[in-house]
Every structure is written in C-alpha cells, then in structure tokens.
C-alpha cells in the first residue's frame, strides 16, 4: 500500500452511494404518492360528475311531476340509484352513486314541492 493512500475512498464511495440511493427512493415514493393522488382525484371527479348529472335529471322529473319512488341511471363508469319518499309538501330523496371500482357517494335531499327548492342537502 502506498503511503498516500489512507483508505478513505471506499467509505466515501459507500456514503455517496447511500445518499444517492436514498434520494432516488424518495423520488420514487413521491412519484407513487402523486400517481395515487391523481387516481383518487379522478375517481372523486367521476363521482361528482355522476351526482351532478343525476341531480339535473331528478330536478327535471320533479318539475314535470312524474318522479317514480325508485329510479336507476346507468353510466359508463358506474350507476346511480334514486329513492324518494313523499311527505307532502316535502319530498325526501336519497341518491347513491357508485363507481365501477366500488366507490360511493350518498346524498340525502329534502325538496319542497310547493316552492320547487331544495331545503337541505346532506352528504353521507
């Protein structure tokens, strides 16, 4: 062994390798978390879109006055089930939207038939 070689290159190389590996693993974890976030956001967007469309259809039926006690709407990525109970002048409406992956969004609505307005909307 040469006198100038003190044996510190190998530990420094190991330390730098460990540092770079930990940075790489951290970036991979950030990517995985971001991908999961966007997947979750997409599912929530689908549910909210289904709920909005369902509520527009329910309002149309309520204005016409031909709203059945149980109603079903199929979507390409899920379905919506609407049930209603008449307690004149208030109609109790429950909407359950379900995606193909099993995610649910439920809402209970009280609708005043005289004024054609929503009294309360509760997300479950």
């Amino acid at each position: 062994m040469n006198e100038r070689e003190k044996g510190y290159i190998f530990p420094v190389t190991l330390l730098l390798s460990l540092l770079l590996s930990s940075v790489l693993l951290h970036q991979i974890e950030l990517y995985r978390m971001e991908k999961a976030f966007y997947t979750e956001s997409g599912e929530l967007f689908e549910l909210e879109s289904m709920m909005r469309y369902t509520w527009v259809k329910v309002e149309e039926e309520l204005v016409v006055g031909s709203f059945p006690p149980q109603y079903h709407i199929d979507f390409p990525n899920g379905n919506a089930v609407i049930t209603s109970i008449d307690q004149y002048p208030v109609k109790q409406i429950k909407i359950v939207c379900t995606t193909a992956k099993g995610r649910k969004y439920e809402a209970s609505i009280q609708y005043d038939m005289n004024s054609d307005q929503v009294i309360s909307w509760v997300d479950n």
Side-chain angles (χ1 to χ4, degrees):
M1 182 186 263
N2 194 351
E3 259 186 51
R4 294 186 320 179
E5 296 176 8
K6 303 289 186 196
Y8 65 89
I9 295 296
F10 184 66
V12 170
T13 304
L14 282 178
L15 185 62
L16 285 176
S17 297
L18 179 65
L19 180 66
L20 288 175
S21 296
S22 64
V23 169
L24 178 67
L25 288 174
H26 179 68
Q27 290 299 320
I28 290 171
E29 183 64 21
L30 286 177
Y31 173 75
R32 191 187 66 76
M33 295 283 286
E34 187 174 347
K35 189 174 177 181
F37 170 75
Y38 284 118
T39 301
E40 186 78 16
S41 296
E43 286 183 26
L44 290 175
F45 179 75
E46 286 178 5
L47 274 174
E48 287 181 14
S49 298
M50 288 169 43
M51 181 61 81
R52 283 191 188 117
Y53 180 81
T54 302
W55 178 245
V56 167
K57 289 297 181 187
V58 166
E59 264 189 325
E60 289 173 1
E61 296 291 327
L62 287 170
V63 170
V64 173
S66 63
F67 192 78
Q70 187 133 16
Y71 193 57
H72 185 78
I73 300 174
D74 285 323
F75 296 99
N77 54 357
N79 62 19
V81 177
I82 305 106
T83 55
S84 69
I85 300 170
D86 265 340
Q87 297 172 341
Y88 193 79
V90 177
K91 186 179 279 263
Q92 303 284 339
I93 302 168
K94 184 173 183 178
I95 301 173
V96 179
C97 293
T98 309
T99 63
K101 294 180 180 178
R103 167 85 35 112
K104 282 187 178 181
Y105 181 0
E106 296 182 25
S108 299
I109 303 125
Q110 290 184 343
Y111 188 81
D112 187 358
M113 299 298 286
N114 291 334
S115 64
D116 289 332
Q117 291 183 357
V118 175
I119 299 170
S120 73
W121 183 296
V122 178
D123 294 329
N124 299 335

